[in-house]
């Protein structure tokens, strides 16, 4: 599943995506879908949060050995006028960064699935002279980036896995998500001041 620059603001959306990932699915979130304006991303273990946006179009490969970096030039431009940069989580690998070294593309595992969060938006153009923006075929370094993100995320081939195994993973994921939601309601030491 590839989700472009849309807001994932409803809890049921995030729950469904996390269940899909835990079941073995592959997910690519781009730009706004990474969690801009939210306290955390949909999968904070891979990328904790969106730090900010940068009005720049230059990206650089950070991890040459990662499969997402295959056939990418060392440095390339994306066609949208800005990108978001992320704070990597403990299970995330920074594959692509901006010219200042901030993480833009972070990949990692979530449950039995794989996720890529990319603050850029391959396949979308912005013309600063006319302010026109629209979908457009990725070119230059954007094309292998878009293809490699989708291929890497989908490598687990959820549809090729036994249905019983998927059902078992889904049941466990739904249970884990309920426990996580309940644990957020319980008091913790940070609820109280030092006094």
């Amino acid at each position: 599943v590839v989700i472009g620059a849309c807001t994932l603001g409803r809890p049921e959306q995030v729950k469904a995506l996390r269940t899909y990932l835990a079941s073995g699915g592959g997910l690519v979130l781009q730009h706004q879908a990474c969690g801009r304006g939210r306290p955390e991303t949909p999968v904070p273990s891979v990328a904790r949060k969106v730090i900010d946006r940068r009005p720049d179009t230059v990206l650089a490969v950070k991890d040459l050995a990662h499969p997402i970096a295959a056939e990418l030039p060392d440095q390339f431009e994306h066609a949208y006028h800005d990108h978001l940069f992320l704070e990597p989580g403990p299970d995330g690998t920074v594959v692509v960064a901006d010219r200042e070294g901030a993480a833009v593309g972070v990949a990692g595992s979530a449950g039995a699935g794989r996720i890529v969060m990319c603050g850029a938006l391959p396949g979308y153009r912005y013309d600063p002279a006319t302010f026109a923006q629209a979908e457009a075929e990725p070119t230059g370094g954007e094309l292998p980036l878009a293809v490699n993100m989708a291929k890497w995320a989908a490598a687990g081939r959820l549809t090729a896995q036994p249905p019983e195994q998927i059902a078992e993973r889904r049941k466990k994921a739904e249970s884990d998500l309920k426990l996580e939601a309940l644990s957020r309601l319980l008091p913790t030491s940070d609820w109280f001041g030092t006094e």
Side-chain angles (χ1 to χ4, degrees), residues 59-122:
L59 298 178
V61 175
K62 189 83 170 167
D63 184 348
L64 294 168
H66 200 284
I68 292 173
E71 298 178 29
L72 280 176
D74 291 343
Q75 194 174 57
F76 61 97
E77 288 196 50
H78 60 82
Y80 197 51
H81 69 97
D82 75 355
H83 57 262
L84 306 179
F85 53 100
L86 311 163
E87 178 185 332
D91 299 331
T93 299
V94 178
V95 181
V96 177
D98 64 14
R99 73 169 93 210
E100 304 211 14
V104 175
V106 181
S109 295
R114 291 178 170 194
I115 182 169
V116 181
M117 285 185 250
C118 181
L121 189 55

Side-chain angles (χ1 to χ4, degrees), residues 31 53-57 78-83 124-128 133:
H31 207 270
R53 64 176 279 280
R54 186 165 284 136
D56 189 11
T57 60
H78 60 82
Y80 197 51
H81 69 97
D82 75 355
H83 57 262
Y124 203 77
R125 301 276 181 261
Y126 174 80
D127 181 1
Q133 41 185 320

Side-chain angles (χ1 to χ4, degrees), residues 67-73 76 138-150:
I68 292 173
E71 298 178 29
L72 280 176
F76 61 97
T139 59
E142 279 189 321
L143 181 58
L145 176 64
V147 169
N148 292 348
M149 288 189 304

